Amino acid sequence: MTHQAPLTFAPEVRDALDRGLPVVALESTIITHGMPWPQNLEMAEKVEAVIREGGAVPATIAVMGGRIHIGLTPEALRALAQTPPAEAMKLSRADLAVCIANGRTGATTVAATMICAHLAGIKVFATGGIGGVHRGAETSFDISADLQELAQTPVTVVAAGAKAILDLPKTWEVLETLGVPVIAYGQDELPAFWSRASGIKAPLRMDSPQEIAAAAAMRAALGLRGGQLVANPIPEADEIAQDQIMPVIEQALSEAAAQGIAAKAVTPFLLGRIFELTEGRSLDSNIALVLNNARLAARIASAMAA
Ligand code: PSU
Ligand code: MN
């Protein structure tokens, strides 16, 4: 028995892809597990609007009723945003096929969104922050599947760096080992999600969407597998300085350890606690950086389509 990937395209996305117009993929775990209702819906709607303003078509990706949806209707987006985290599967490479085969609903992480975007023929994807090497990974072995995915699936991912709750130096080391180009946009230093600075020099720097598009095309021409990570610093007006966010992260991390939070629950728990401890400021910054990444992704997608 052979199967075809069960993709359902929003008509607008199908049309744009058929005509070679710029399309930007968006993930859905950030909606179900990364942000609380109703800010998650506001963010999801705004991010789509920003991509349209940038001259590209947004394609939010999720698994619903056993099909991969490439682009969601406003009603489907709302329904997803209202789904409690416990009811939507958090899908990575490991669980994507099971979720679909069982006819279930799930939100796609960076890894799963890359897989689905590639199946759909979409080359650019905007998110907040990728998963990475968790602190204490030397004993927990908790390393996000996002990193392996960047090494094998040809999609350009625009993020504000890796989430600062992670072990950032180890995350960058693993990406280097896996042969993933990590490109800081417009600065020499890698950004650290809520902050522009990380103190870590970026392995690569680019200053225009055209250069990023050309680099992706060259990777393909050389027959190199995998995508590239564009690390786009949060706008200055929206950042939380490192010395302010770090103590909050430390507290959230020690609470997670004390409560025995593990595996897939770690990232959502930490983001939720940091939201509470900053009285919502971390969420405002998170939304601002996602919008900023969407803007850049639309420009990269346009450069690739040109
Ligand atoms: N970026 C955010 N919020 C999030 C995530 C990213 O601003 O919630 C999600 C992404 O879907 C990413 C996932 O792929 O967290 C990483 O989870 P893990 O560490 O369990 O691999
Ligand atoms: Mn993990």
Side-chain angles (χ1 to χ4, degrees), residues 241-264:
Q242 251 191 322
D243 57 341
Q244 283 180 39
I245 196 75
M246 277 311 168
V248 173
I249 293 172
E250 299 299 342
Q251 185 179 336
L253 283 165
S254 60
E255 289 179 17
Q259 294 178 39
I261 308 290
K264 277 174 186 277

Short mmCIF file of all heavy atoms in Angstrom, two decimals, residues 241-264:
data_model
loop_
_atom_site.label_atom_id
_atom_site.label_comp_id
_atom_site.label_asym_id
_atom_site.label_seq_id
_atom_site.Cartn_x
_atom_site.Cartn_y
_atom_site.Cartn_z
N ALA A 241 16.84 43.45 28.56
CA ALA A 241 18.30 43.31 28.66
C ALA A 241 18.66 42.02 29.37
O ALA A 241 17.92 41.53 30.23
CB ALA A 241 18.89 44.51 29.40
N GLN A 242 19.81 41.46 28.99
CA GLN A 242 20.26 40.17 29.52
C GLN A 242 20.32 40.14 31.05
O GLN A 242 19.91 39.15 31.67
CB GLN A 242 21.66 39.87 28.98
CG GLN A 242 21.66 38.76 27.96
CD GLN A 242 23.08 38.30 27.65
OE1 GLN A 242 24.01 39.08 27.56
NE2 GLN A 242 23.24 37.01 27.48
N ASP A 243 20.80 41.25 31.65
CA ASP A 243 20.93 41.23 33.12
C ASP A 243 19.56 41.25 33.81
O ASP A 243 19.44 40.90 34.97
CB ASP A 243 21.83 42.38 33.60
CG ASP A 243 21.32 43.74 33.16
OD1 ASP A 243 20.51 43.80 32.21
OD2 ASP A 243 21.73 44.75 33.77
N GLN A 244 18.52 41.64 33.07
CA GLN A 244 17.17 41.62 33.65
C GLN A 244 16.50 40.26 33.48
O GLN A 244 15.80 39.79 34.37
CB GLN A 244 16.29 42.68 32.99
CG GLN A 244 16.58 44.08 33.48
CD GLN A 244 15.68 45.08 32.79
OE1 GLN A 244 14.51 44.83 32.54
NE2 GLN A 244 16.23 46.23 32.45
N ILE A 245 16.69 39.64 32.33
CA ILE A 245 15.98 38.40 32.04
C ILE A 245 16.68 37.19 32.67
O ILE A 245 16.02 36.22 33.06
CB ILE A 245 15.75 38.21 30.51
CG1 ILE A 245 14.69 37.14 30.24
CG2 ILE A 245 17.03 37.89 29.77
CD1 ILE A 245 13.28 37.54 30.49
N MET A 246 18.01 37.26 32.82
CA MET A 246 18.74 36.09 33.31
C MET A 246 18.30 35.60 34.69
O MET A 246 18.08 34.41 34.88
CB MET A 246 20.26 36.33 33.26
CG MET A 246 20.85 36.04 31.88
SD MET A 246 20.33 34.44 31.22
CE MET A 246 20.87 34.56 29.54
N PRO A 247 18.16 36.51 35.70
CA PRO A 247 17.72 36.02 37.02
C PRO A 247 16.35 35.34 36.95
O PRO A 247 16.09 34.37 37.66
CB PRO A 247 17.65 37.29 37.87
CG PRO A 247 18.38 38.34 37.13
CD PRO A 247 18.42 37.96 35.70
N VAL A 248 15.48 35.86 36.08
CA VAL A 248 14.13 35.28 35.92
C VAL A 248 14.24 33.87 35.33
O VAL A 248 13.58 32.94 35.79
CB VAL A 248 13.28 36.20 35.00
CG1 VAL A 248 11.95 35.55 34.68
CG2 VAL A 248 13.08 37.55 35.65
N ILE A 249 15.10 33.74 34.34
CA ILE A 249 15.31 32.42 33.72
C ILE A 249 15.86 31.43 34.75
O ILE A 249 15.38 30.30 34.85
CB ILE A 249 16.26 32.55 32.50
CG1 ILE A 249 15.59 33.35 31.39
CG2 ILE A 249 16.67 31.16 31.99
CD1 ILE A 249 16.50 33.69 30.21
N GLU A 250 16.84 31.90 35.54
CA GLU A 250 17.42 31.04 36.58
C GLU A 250 16.35 30.54 37.54
O GLU A 250 16.32 29.36 37.90
CB GLU A 250 18.51 31.78 37.38
CG GLU A 250 19.71 32.27 36.58
CD GLU A 250 20.52 31.17 35.89
OE1 GLU A 250 20.37 30.00 36.27
OE2 GLU A 250 21.27 31.50 34.94
N GLN A 251 15.46 31.45 37.94
CA GLN A 251 14.41 31.05 38.88
C GLN A 251 13.47 30.02 38.25
O GLN A 251 13.14 29.00 38.87
CB GLN A 251 13.61 32.27 39.35
CG GLN A 251 12.58 31.89 40.41
CD GLN A 251 11.78 33.07 40.93
OE1 GLN A 251 12.23 34.22 40.86
NE2 GLN A 251 10.59 32.78 41.47
N ALA A 252 13.05 30.28 37.01
CA ALA A 252 12.16 29.34 36.33
C ALA A 252 12.83 27.98 36.17
O ALA A 252 12.19 26.93 36.36
CB ALA A 252 11.76 29.91 34.97
N LEU A 253 14.11 27.99 35.85
CA LEU A 253 14.84 26.73 35.68
C LEU A 253 14.92 25.95 37.00
O LEU A 253 14.73 24.73 37.01
CB LEU A 253 16.26 27.01 35.18
CG LEU A 253 16.40 27.35 33.69
CD1 LEU A 253 17.77 27.96 33.40
CD2 LEU A 253 16.17 26.12 32.82
N SER A 254 15.16 26.65 38.11
CA SER A 254 15.28 25.90 39.37
C SER A 254 13.92 25.37 39.81
O SER A 254 13.82 24.28 40.38
CB SER A 254 15.98 26.72 40.46
OG SER A 254 15.26 27.89 40.73
N GLU A 255 12.85 26.10 39.49
CA GLU A 255 11.51 25.59 39.79
C GLU A 255 11.19 24.35 38.96
O GLU A 255 10.61 23.39 39.45
CB GLU A 255 10.45 26.67 39.53
CG GLU A 255 10.49 27.79 40.56
CD GLU A 255 9.45 28.87 40.28
OE1 GLU A 255 8.49 28.61 39.51
OE2 GLU A 255 9.60 29.95 40.84
N ALA A 256 11.59 24.39 37.68
CA ALA A 256 11.36 23.24 36.81
C ALA A 256 12.09 22.02 37.36
O ALA A 256 11.54 20.91 37.41
CB ALA A 256 11.83 23.54 35.39
N ALA A 257 13.33 22.22 37.82
CA ALA A 257 14.11 21.11 38.37
C ALA A 257 13.45 20.57 39.64
O ALA A 257 13.30 19.36 39.81
CB ALA A 257 15.54 21.57 38.65
N ALA A 258 13.03 21.51 40.50
CA ALA A 258 12.42 21.10 41.78
C ALA A 258 11.14 20.31 41.55
O ALA A 258 10.81 19.39 42.29
CB ALA A 258 12.15 22.33 42.63
N GLN A 259 10.39 20.67 40.49
CA GLN A 259 9.11 20.00 40.22
C GLN A 259 9.26 18.80 39.29
O GLN A 259 8.26 18.18 38.93
CB GLN A 259 8.11 21.00 39.62
CG GLN A 259 7.71 22.11 40.58
CD GLN A 259 6.78 23.12 39.94
OE1 GLN A 259 5.89 22.76 39.17
NE2 GLN A 259 6.97 24.38 40.24
N GLY A 260 10.48 18.52 38.89
CA GLY A 260 10.71 17.34 38.06
C GLY A 260 10.12 17.45 36.66
O GLY A 260 9.76 16.45 36.04
N ILE A 261 10.01 18.68 36.13
CA ILE A 261 9.49 18.88 34.77
C ILE A 261 10.50 18.31 33.78
O ILE A 261 11.69 18.62 33.86
CB ILE A 261 9.26 20.37 34.47
CG1 ILE A 261 8.42 21.05 35.56
CG2 ILE A 261 8.64 20.58 33.09
CD1 ILE A 261 6.97 20.66 35.63
N ALA A 262 10.02 17.49 32.83
CA ALA A 262 10.97 16.85 31.90
C ALA A 262 10.39 16.78 30.49
O ALA A 262 9.21 17.04 30.26
CB ALA A 262 11.29 15.44 32.39
N ALA A 263 11.26 16.42 29.56
CA ALA A 263 10.92 16.15 28.16
C ALA A 263 10.13 17.29 27.52
O ALA A 263 10.50 18.45 27.67
CB ALA A 263 10.18 14.82 28.05
N LYS A 264 9.05 16.98 26.83
CA LYS A 264 8.31 17.98 26.07
C LYS A 264 7.70 19.08 26.91
O LYS A 264 7.32 20.14 26.41
CB LYS A 264 7.15 17.30 25.32
CG LYS A 264 7.54 16.67 24.02
CD LYS A 264 6.33 15.90 23.48
CE LYS A 264 6.70 15.13 22.25
NZ LYS A 264 6.68 15.96 21.05
#
